[in-house]
Amino acid sequence: MDATQVLAILRDNRLFDETDEGVLLRACIRALGFVKDRLRDDVDDSDPRIAATAAALARYRLFFDMLESGERFSSYKAGDITIQRDLKAEVTAEKALRDEALTQAAPILRDGGFFVAVQ
């Protein structure tokens, strides 16, 4: 498993069509390192859940990087047309995707301790 496999999964997402490949690859390397550091000892290195989880984590980080850099917008006006986005809903969706990926990967990841989320 390497970062190019994670990048291939990430590239399937249209959200990053205009993002520089070097930026995507760096995010994939970081996310894959995070996942590999937490793998159980008995997990096969070619398990597809590794790449899928790393891609979800990379996507999550890239989404917030885009928000911070101003590449995402809440409202944009071009002439008579105004396009508005619900950034709160997008953030909630990104968190849900990340959480679902981590849930799916639970069988291959070491237990990181106790966590309680209150909403």
Side-chain angles (χ1 to χ4, degrees), residues 50-67:
I50 297 170
T53 304
L57 294 175
R59 173 191 165 121
Y60 183 75
R61 180 180 177 111
L62 287 164
F63 175 81
F64 283 97
D65 288 349
M66 288 170 56
L67 284 178

Side-chain angles (χ1 to χ4, degrees), residues 3-25:
T4 59
Q5 292 168 304
V6 177
L7 178 62
I9 295 170
L10 199 59
R11 273 286 182 209
D12 284 341
N13 189 315
R14 309 268 320 164
L15 180 64
F16 304 113
D17 279 352
E18 296 181 18
T19 305
D20 179 67
E21 188 156 321
V23 170
L24 294 178
L25 187 58

Side-chain angles (χ1 to χ4, degrees), residues 37-112:
D37 285 346
R38 287 154 180 81
L39 285 178
R40 294 178 188 251
D41 294 333
D42 61 341
V43 174
D44 180 7
D45 287 341
S46 63
D47 190 312
R49 291 175 291 187
I50 297 170
T53 304
L57 294 175
R59 173 191 165 121
Y60 183 75
R61 180 180 177 111
L62 287 164
F63 175 81
F64 283 97
D65 288 349
M66 288 170 56
L67 284 178
E68 290 174 3
S69 70
E71 289 183 40
R72 304 287 286 182
F73 54 89
S74 60
S75 173
Y76 180 78
K77 186 169 182 163
D80 293 337
I81 299 173
T82 300
I83 300 170
Q84 290 186 323
R85 302 185 80 141
D86 185 350
L87 291 180
K88 185 176 179 181
E90 288 186 43
V91 167
T92 300
E94 290 298 325
K95 285 182 180 180
L97 289 171
R98 180 206 57 194
D99 292 348
E100 177 63 25
L102 290 171
T103 299
Q104 295 293 324
I108 64 170
L109 299 176
R110 287 191 313 269
D111 186 7

